[in-house]
CSV table of all heavy atoms in Angstrom, one decimal:
chain,number,residue,atom,x,y,z
A,118,THR,N,110.3,84.8,102.6
A,118,THR,CA,110.1,85.1,104.0
A,118,THR,C,108.9,84.4,104.5
A,118,THR,O,107.9,84.2,103.8
A,118,THR,CB,110.2,86.5,104.3
A,118,THR,OG1,109.1,87.2,103.7
A,118,THR,CG2,111.5,87.2,103.8
A,119,ASP,N,108.9,84.3,105.9
A,119,ASP,CA,107.7,83.7,106.5
A,119,ASP,C,107.5,84.3,107.9
A,119,ASP,O,108.0,83.7,108.9
A,119,ASP,CB,107.8,82.2,106.6
A,119,ASP,CG,106.6,81.5,107.2
A,119,ASP,OD1,105.5,82.2,107.3
A,119,ASP,OD2,106.7,80.4,107.8
A,120,TYR,N,107.0,85.5,108.0
A,120,TYR,CA,106.9,86.1,109.3
A,120,TYR,C,105.7,87.1,109.4
A,120,TYR,O,105.6,88.0,110.3
A,120,TYR,CB,108.1,86.8,109.8
A,120,TYR,CG,108.7,87.8,108.7
A,120,TYR,CD1,108.1,89.0,108.4
A,120,TYR,CD2,109.9,87.4,107.9
A,120,TYR,CE1,108.6,89.8,107.5
A,120,TYR,CE2,110.3,88.2,107.0
A,120,TYR,CZ,109.7,89.4,106.7
A,120,TYR,OH,110.3,90.3,105.7
A,121,GLU,N,104.7,86.9,108.5
A,121,GLU,CA,103.5,87.7,108.5
A,121,GLU,C,102.8,87.8,109.9
A,121,GLU,O,102.2,88.7,110.3
A,121,GLU,CB,102.6,87.4,107.4
A,121,GLU,CG,101.3,88.2,107.2
A,121,GLU,CD,101.7,89.8,106.9
A,121,GLU,OE1,102.8,89.9,106.4
A,121,GLU,OE2,100.9,90.6,107.2
A,122,GLU,N,102.8,86.6,110.6
A,122,GLU,CA,102.2,86.7,111.9
A,122,GLU,C,102.9,87.6,112.9
A,122,GLU,O,102.2,88.3,113.6
A,122,GLU,CB,102.2,85.2,112.5
A,122,GLU,CG,101.5,85.0,113.8
A,122,GLU,CD,101.6,83.6,114.3
A,122,GLU,OE1,101.8,82.7,113.4
A,122,GLU,OE2,101.4,83.4,115.5
A,123,TRP,N,104.2,87.7,112.8
A,123,TRP,CA,105.0,88.7,113.6
A,123,TRP,C,104.6,90.0,113.2
A,123,TRP,O,104.4,90.9,114.1
A,123,TRP,CB,106.4,88.4,113.4
A,123,TRP,CG,107.3,89.5,113.7
A,123,TRP,CD1,107.9,90.4,112.8
A,123,TRP,CD2,107.7,90.1,114.9
A,123,TRP,NE1,108.7,91.3,113.4
A,123,TRP,CE2,108.5,91.2,114.7
A,123,TRP,CE3,107.4,89.7,116.3
A,123,TRP,CZ2,109.1,91.9,115.8
A,123,TRP,CZ3,108.0,90.4,117.3
A,123,TRP,CH2,108.8,91.6,117.1
A,124,THR,N,104.5,90.3,111.9
A,124,THR,CA,104.3,91.7,111.5
A,124,THR,C,102.8,92.1,112.0
A,124,THR,O,102.7,93.3,112.5
A,124,THR,CB,104.2,91.8,110.0
A,124,THR,OG1,105.6,91.5,109.5
A,124,THR,CG2,103.9,93.3,109.5
A,125,GLN,N,101.9,91.2,111.9
A,125,GLN,CA,100.5,91.5,112.4
A,125,GLN,C,100.5,91.7,114.0
A,125,GLN,O,99.7,92.5,114.5
A,125,GLN,CB,99.6,90.3,112.0
A,125,GLN,CG,99.3,90.3,110.6
A,125,GLN,CD,98.7,91.6,110.0
A,125,GLN,OE1,97.9,92.2,110.7
A,125,GLN,NE2,99.1,92.0,108.8
A,126,HIS,N,101.4,90.9,114.7
A,126,HIS,CA,101.5,91.1,116.1
A,126,HIS,C,102.0,92.5,116.5
A,126,HIS,O,101.4,93.1,117.4
A,126,HIS,CB,102.5,90.0,116.6
A,126,HIS,CG,102.9,90.2,118.0
A,126,HIS,ND1,102.1,90.1,119.1
A,126,HIS,CD2,104.2,90.6,118.6
A,126,HIS,CE1,102.8,90.3,120.2
A,126,HIS,NE2,103.9,90.7,119.8
A,127,THR,N,103.0,93.0,115.7
A,127,THR,CA,103.5,94.3,116.1
A,127,THR,C,102.4,95.4,115.8
A,127,THR,O,102.3,96.4,116.5
A,127,THR,CB,104.8,94.6,115.3
A,127,THR,OG1,104.6,94.6,113.9
A,127,THR,CG2,105.8,93.5,115.6
A,128,LEU,N,101.8,95.2,114.7
A,128,LEU,CA,100.8,96.1,114.3
A,128,LEU,C,99.6,96.1,115.3
A,128,LEU,O,99.0,97.2,115.6
A,128,LEU,CB,100.3,95.9,112.9
A,128,LEU,CG,101.3,96.1,111.8
A,128,LEU,CD1,100.6,95.8,110.4
A,128,LEU,CD2,102.0,97.4,111.8
A,129,GLU,N,99.2,95.0,115.9
A,129,GLU,CA,98.2,94.8,116.9
A,129,GLU,C,98.6,95.6,118.1
A,129,GLU,O,97.8,96.3,118.8
A,129,GLU,CB,97.9,93.4,117.2
A,129,GLU,CG,97.0,93.2,118.3
A,129,GLU,CD,95.5,93.8,118.0
A,129,GLU,OE1,95.2,94.2,116.9
A,129,GLU,OE2,94.8,93.9,119.0
A,130,ASN,N,100.0,95.5,118.5
A,130,ASN,CA,100.4,96.3,119.5
A,130,ASN,C,100.3,97.8,119.4
A,130,ASN,O,100.0,98.6,120.3
A,130,ASN,CB,102.0,95.9,119.8
A,130,ASN,CG,102.1,94.7,120.6
A,130,ASN,OD1,101.2,94.2,121.2
A,130,ASN,ND2,103.3,94.1,120.6
A,131,LYS,N,100.6,98.2,118.1
A,131,LYS,CA,100.4,99.5,117.7
A,131,LYS,C,98.9,100.0,117.9
A,131,LYS,O,98.7,101.1,118.4
A,131,LYS,CB,100.8,99.8,116.3
A,131,LYS,CG,100.7,101.2,115.7
A,131,LYS,CD,101.2,101.2,114.3
A,131,LYS,CE,100.9,102.5,113.6
A,131,LYS,NZ,101.3,102.4,112.2
A,132,ARG,N,98.0,99.2,117.6
A,132,ARG,CA,96.6,99.5,117.7
A,132,ARG,C,96.2,99.5,119.2
A,132,ARG,O,95.4,100.4,119.6
A,132,ARG,CB,95.8,98.5,117.0
A,132,ARG,CG,94.2,98.8,116.9
A,132,ARG,CD,93.3,97.6,116.7
A,132,ARG,NE,93.3,96.7,117.8
A,132,ARG,CZ,92.8,96.8,118.9
A,132,ARG,NH1,92.0,97.9,119.2
A,132,ARG,NH2,92.9,95.9,119.9
A,133,ARG,N,96.7,98.6,120.0
A,133,ARG,CA,96.3,98.5,121.4
A,133,ARG,C,96.8,99.6,122.2
A,133,ARG,O,96.2,100.0,123.2
A,133,ARG,CB,96.9,97.2,122.0
A,133,ARG,CG,96.2,95.9,121.5
A,133,ARG,CD,96.9,94.6,122.0
A,133,ARG,NE,96.9,94.6,123.5
A,133,ARG,CZ,97.9,94.3,124.3
A,133,ARG,NH1,99.1,93.9,123.8
A,133,ARG,NH2,97.8,94.3,125.7
A,134,ALA,N,98.0,100.1,121.9
A,134,ALA,CA,98.6,101.0,122.9
A,134,ALA,C,99.3,102.2,122.1
A,134,ALA,O,100.4,102.4,122.0
A,134,ALA,CB,99.6,100.4,123.8
A,135,PRO,N,98.5,103.0,121.3
A,135,PRO,CA,99.1,104.2,120.7
A,135,PRO,C,99.5,105.2,121.7
A,135,PRO,O,99.0,105.2,122.9
A,135,PRO,CB,97.9,104.7,119.8
A,135,PRO,CG,96.7,104.3,120.6
A,135,PRO,CD,97.0,103.0,121.2
A,136,PHE,N,100.2,106.2,121.3
A,136,PHE,CA,100.5,107.4,122.3
A,136,PHE,C,99.0,108.0,122.7
A,136,PHE,O,98.2,108.2,121.7
A,136,PHE,CB,101.4,108.4,121.6
A,136,PHE,CG,102.8,108.0,121.4
A,136,PHE,CD1,103.4,108.0,120.2
A,136,PHE,CD2,103.5,107.6,122.4
A,136,PHE,CE1,104.7,107.6,120.0
A,136,PHE,CE2,104.8,107.1,122.3
A,136,PHE,CZ,105.4,107.2,121.0
A,137,ALA,N,98.9,108.2,123.9
A,137,ALA,CA,97.6,108.7,124.3
A,137,ALA,C,97.7,109.6,125.6
A,137,ALA,O,98.8,109.6,126.2
A,137,ALA,CB,96.7,107.5,124.6
A,138,TYR,N,96.7,110.3,125.9
A,138,TYR,CA,96.7,111.1,127.1
A,138,TYR,C,95.2,111.3,127.6
A,138,TYR,O,94.3,111.1,126.9
A,138,TYR,CB,97.3,112.5,126.8
A,138,TYR,CG,96.6,113.2,125.7
A,138,TYR,CD1,95.5,114.1,125.9
A,138,TYR,CD2,97.0,113.0,124.3
A,138,TYR,CE1,94.9,114.8,124.9
A,138,TYR,CE2,96.3,113.6,123.3
A,138,TYR,CZ,95.3,114.5,123.5
A,138,TYR,OH,94.6,115.2,122.5
A,139,ASP,N,95.1,111.6,128.9
A,139,ASP,CA,93.8,111.9,129.5
A,139,ASP,C,93.4,113.4,129.3
A,139,ASP,O,94.2,114.2,129.3
A,139,ASP,CB,94.0,111.6,131.0
A,139,ASP,CG,94.2,110.1,131.4
A,139,ASP,OD1,93.7,109.2,130.6
A,139,ASP,OD2,94.9,109.8,132.2
A,140,GLU,N,92.2,113.5,129.1
A,140,GLU,CA,91.7,114.8,129.0
A,140,GLU,C,91.7,115.6,130.3
A,140,GLU,O,91.7,114.9,131.4
A,140,GLU,CB,90.2,114.8,128.4
A,140,GLU,CG,90.2,114.4,127.0
A,140,GLU,CD,90.7,115.4,125.9
A,140,GLU,OE1,90.9,116.5,126.3
A,140,GLU,OE2,91.0,115.0,124.8
A,141,ASP,N,91.7,116.9,130.3
A,141,ASP,CA,91.8,117.7,131.5
A,141,ASP,C,90.9,119.0,131.3
A,141,ASP,O,91.1,119.7,130.4
A,141,ASP,CB,93.2,118.1,131.8
A,141,ASP,CG,93.3,118.7,133.2
A,141,ASP,OD1,92.5,119.3,133.7
A,141,ASP,OD2,94.5,118.5,133.8
A,142,GLU,N,90.0,119.1,132.3
A,142,GLU,CA,89.1,120.3,132.1
A,142,GLU,C,89.7,121.5,132.7
A,142,GLU,O,89.3,122.7,132.3
A,142,GLU,CB,87.7,120.1,132.8
A,142,GLU,CG,86.9,119.0,132.1
A,142,GLU,CD,85.5,118.7,132.9
A,142,GLU,OE1,85.3,119.4,133.8
A,142,GLU,OE2,84.8,117.9,132.4
A,143,GLU,N,90.7,121.4,133.5
A,143,GLU,CA,91.4,122.6,134.1
A,143,GLU,C,92.6,123.1,133.3
A,143,GLU,O,92.7,124.3,133.2
A,143,GLU,CB,91.8,122.2,135.6
A,143,GLU,CG,92.4,123.4,136.3
A,143,GLU,CD,92.8,123.0,137.7
A,143,GLU,OE1,92.6,121.8,138.1
A,143,GLU,OE2,93.3,123.9,138.5
A,144,TYR,N,93.3,122.2,132.8
A,144,TYR,CA,94.6,122.6,132.1
A,144,TYR,C,94.6,122.2,130.7
A,144,TYR,O,94.0,121.1,130.3
A,144,TYR,CB,95.8,122.0,132.8
A,144,TYR,CG,96.1,122.5,134.2
A,144,TYR,CD1,95.9,121.9,135.3
A,144,TYR,CD2,96.8,123.8,134.3
A,144,TYR,CE1,96.1,122.4,136.5
A,144,TYR,CE2,97.2,124.3,135.5
A,144,TYR,CZ,96.8,123.7,136.7
A,144,TYR,OH,97.1,124.1,137.9
A,145,ILE,N,95.2,123.0,129.9
A,145,ILE,CA,95.4,122.6,128.4
A,145,ILE,C,96.4,121.5,128.4
A,145,ILE,O,97.5,121.5,129.1
A,145,ILE,CB,95.9,123.8,127.6
A,145,ILE,CG1,94.8,124.9,127.5
A,145,ILE,CG2,96.4,123.3,126.2
A,145,ILE,CD1,95.2,126.1,126.8
A,146,LYS,N,96.1,120.4,127.6
A,146,LYS,CA,97.0,119.3,127.5
A,146,LYS,C,98.1,119.6,126.4
A,146,LYS,O,97.6,119.9,125.2
A,146,LYS,CB,96.3,118.0,127.1
A,146,LYS,CG,95.2,117.6,128.2
A,146,LYS,CD,95.9,117.3,129.5
A,146,LYS,CE,96.4,115.9,129.5
A,146,LYS,NZ,96.9,115.3,130.8
A,147,PRO,N,99.3,119.6,126.7
A,147,PRO,CA,100.3,119.8,125.6
A,147,PRO,C,100.3,118.9,124.4
A,147,PRO,O,100.5,119.3,123.3
A,147,PRO,CB,101.7,119.7,126.4
A,147,PRO,CG,101.3,118.9,127.6
A,147,PRO,CD,99.9,119.2,127.9
A,148,GLN,N,99.9,117.6,124.8
A,148,GLN,CA,99.8,116.7,123.6
A,148,GLN,C,98.7,117.1,122.7
A,148,GLN,O,98.8,117.0,121.4
A,148,GLN,CB,99.5,115.3,124.2
A,148,GLN,CG,100.5,114.9,125.2
A,148,GLN,CD,100.0,115.1,126.7
A,148,GLN,OE1,99.4,116.1,126.9
A,148,GLN,NE2,100.5,114.3,127.6
A,149,LYS,N,97.6,117.6,123.2
A,149,LYS,CA,96.5,118.1,122.3
A,149,LYS,C,97.0,119.3,121.5
A,149,LYS,O,96.5,119.4,120.3
A,149,LYS,CB,95.3,118.4,123.2
A,149,LYS,CG,94.0,118.7,122.4
A,149,LYS,CD,92.8,118.8,123.2
A,149,LYS,CE,91.5,119.1,122.4
A,149,LYS,NZ,90.4,119.1,123.2
A,150,VAL,N,97.8,120.1,122.0
A,150,VAL,CA,98.3,121.3,121.3
A,150,VAL,C,99.0,120.9,120.1
A,150,VAL,O,98.8,121.3,119.0
A,150,VAL,CB,99.2,122.2,122.2
A,150,VAL,CG1,99.8,123.4,121.3
A,150,VAL,CG2,98.3,122.8,123.4
A,151,ILE,N,99.9,119.8,120.4
A,151,ILE,CA,100.7,119.4,119.2
A,151,ILE,C,99.8,118.6,118.2
A,151,ILE,O,100.1,118.8,116.9
A,151,ILE,CB,101.9,118.5,119.8
A,151,ILE,CG1,102.8,119.4,120.5
A,151,ILE,CG2,102.6,117.8,118.6
A,151,ILE,CD1,103.7,118.6,121.5
A,152,GLU,N,98.9,117.8,118.7
A,152,GLU,CA,98.0,117.0,117.8
A,152,GLU,C,97.2,118.1,116.9
A,152,GLU,O,97.2,117.9,115.7
A,152,GLU,CB,97.0,116.3,118.6
A,152,GLU,CG,97.4,114.9,118.8
A,152,GLU,CD,96.3,114.1,119.5
A,152,GLU,OE1,95.4,114.7,120.0
A,152,GLU,OE2,96.3,112.8,119.5
A,153,ARG,N,96.8,119.2,117.5
A,153,ARG,CA,96.0,120.1,116.8
A,153,ARG,C,96.7,120.9,115.8
A,153,ARG,O,96.3,121.1,114.6
A,153,ARG,CB,95.2,121.1,117.8
A,153,ARG,CG,94.5,122.2,117.1
A,153,ARG,CD,93.3,121.7,116.2
A,153,ARG,NE,92.7,122.7,115.4
A,153,ARG,CZ,92.1,122.6,114.2
A,153,ARG,NH1,92.1,121.4,113.7
A,153,ARG,NH2,91.5,123.6,113.7
A,154,ILE,N,97.9,121.2,116.1
A,154,ILE,CA,98.8,121.9,115.1
A,154,ILE,C,99.2,121.0,114.0
A,154,ILE,O,99.3,121.4,112.9
A,154,ILE,CB,100.0,122.5,115.9
A,154,ILE,CG1,99.6,123.7,116.8
A,154,ILE,CG2,101.1,123.0,114.9
A,154,ILE,CD1,100.6,124.2,117.6
A,155,GLY,N,99.4,119.7,114.3
A,155,GLY,CA,99.6,118.7,113.3
A,155,GLY,C,98.5,118.7,112.3
A,155,GLY,O,98.7,118.6,111.1
A,156,GLU,N,97.2,118.7,112.8
A,156,GLU,CA,96.0,118.7,111.9
A,156,GLU,C,96.0,120.0,111.1
A,156,GLU,O,95.7,120.0,109.9
A,156,GLU,CB,94.8,118.6,112.7
A,156,GLU,CG,94.6,117.3,113.5
A,156,GLU,CD,93.5,117.3,114.5
A,156,GLU,OE1,92.9,118.4,114.7
A,156,GLU,OE2,93.2,116.3,115.2
A,157,MET,N,96.3,121.1,111.7
A,157,MET,CA,96.2,122.5,111.0
A,157,MET,C,97.1,122.6,109.9
A,157,MET,O,97.0,123.2,108.9
A,157,MET,CB,96.3,123.6,112.0
A,157,MET,CG,95.2,123.7,113.1
A,157,MET,SD,95.6,125.0,114.4
A,157,MET,CE,95.5,126.5,113.4
A,158,THR,N,98.4,121.9,110.1
A,158,THR,CA,99.5,122.1,109.2
A,158,THR,C,99.4,120.8,108.2
A,158,THR,O,100.4,120.7,107.4
A,158,THR,CB,100.8,122.2,109.8
A,158,THR,OG1,101.0,121.0,110.7
A,158,THR,CG2,100.8,123.5,110.5
A,159,ASN,N,98.4,119.9,108.3
A,159,ASN,CA,98.4,118.7,107.5
A,159,ASN,C,99.7,117.9,107.7
A,159,ASN,O,99.9,117.1,106.7
A,159,ASN,CB,98.1,119.1,106.0
A,159,ASN,CG,97.6,117.9,105.3
A,159,ASN,OD1,96.9,117.1,105.8
A,159,ASN,ND2,98.0,117.8,104.0
A,160,GLY,N,100.3,117.9,108.7
A,160,GLY,CA,101.5,117.1,109.0
A,160,GLY,C,102.7,117.5,108.1
A,160,GLY,O,103.6,116.7,108.0
A,161,ASP,N,102.6,118.7,107.5
A,161,ASP,CA,103.6,119.0,106.5
A,161,ASP,C,104.6,120.0,106.9
A,161,ASP,O,105.6,120.4,106.3
A,161,ASP,CB,103.0,119.6,105.2
A,161,ASP,CG,102.2,118.6,104.5
A,161,ASP,OD1,102.8,117.4,104.3
A,161,ASP,OD2,101.1,118.9,103.9
A,162,ALA,N,104.5,120.7,108.2
A,162,ALA,CA,105.4,121.7,108.7
A,162,ALA,C,106.7,121.2,109.0
A,162,ALA,O,106.9,120.0,109.4
A,162,ALA,CB,104.7,122.4,109.9
């Protein structure tokens, strides 16, 4: 096969634009809740 450049391109897109959210001082962010529980359960739940 010959497409390593393509694979690297898709992985660069993954690095450039991961799932993300803005922080909020007034409200709890639901994304952060899920992230934190993922850390607490080591991604195994």
Side-chain angles (χ1 to χ4, degrees):
T118 60
D119 181 21
Y120 47 74
E121 182 61 24
E122 184 177 338
W123 157 255
T124 299
Q125 290 303 323
H126 166 70
T127 64
L128 299 181
E129 176 61 15
N130 280 343
K131 178 181 174 181
R132 186 201 67 77
R133 288 177 60 219
F136 289 123
Y138 56 92
D139 296 324
E140 293 291 344
D141 191 327
E142 294 183 359
E143 182 178 0
Y144 290 102
I145 292 174
K146 301 293 283 192
Q148 304 92 329
K149 187 171 184 176
V150 173
I151 293 163
E152 269 188 343
R153 176 56 186 156
I154 291 175
E156 293 167 359
M157 295 172 70
T158 57
N159 195 34
D161 288 322

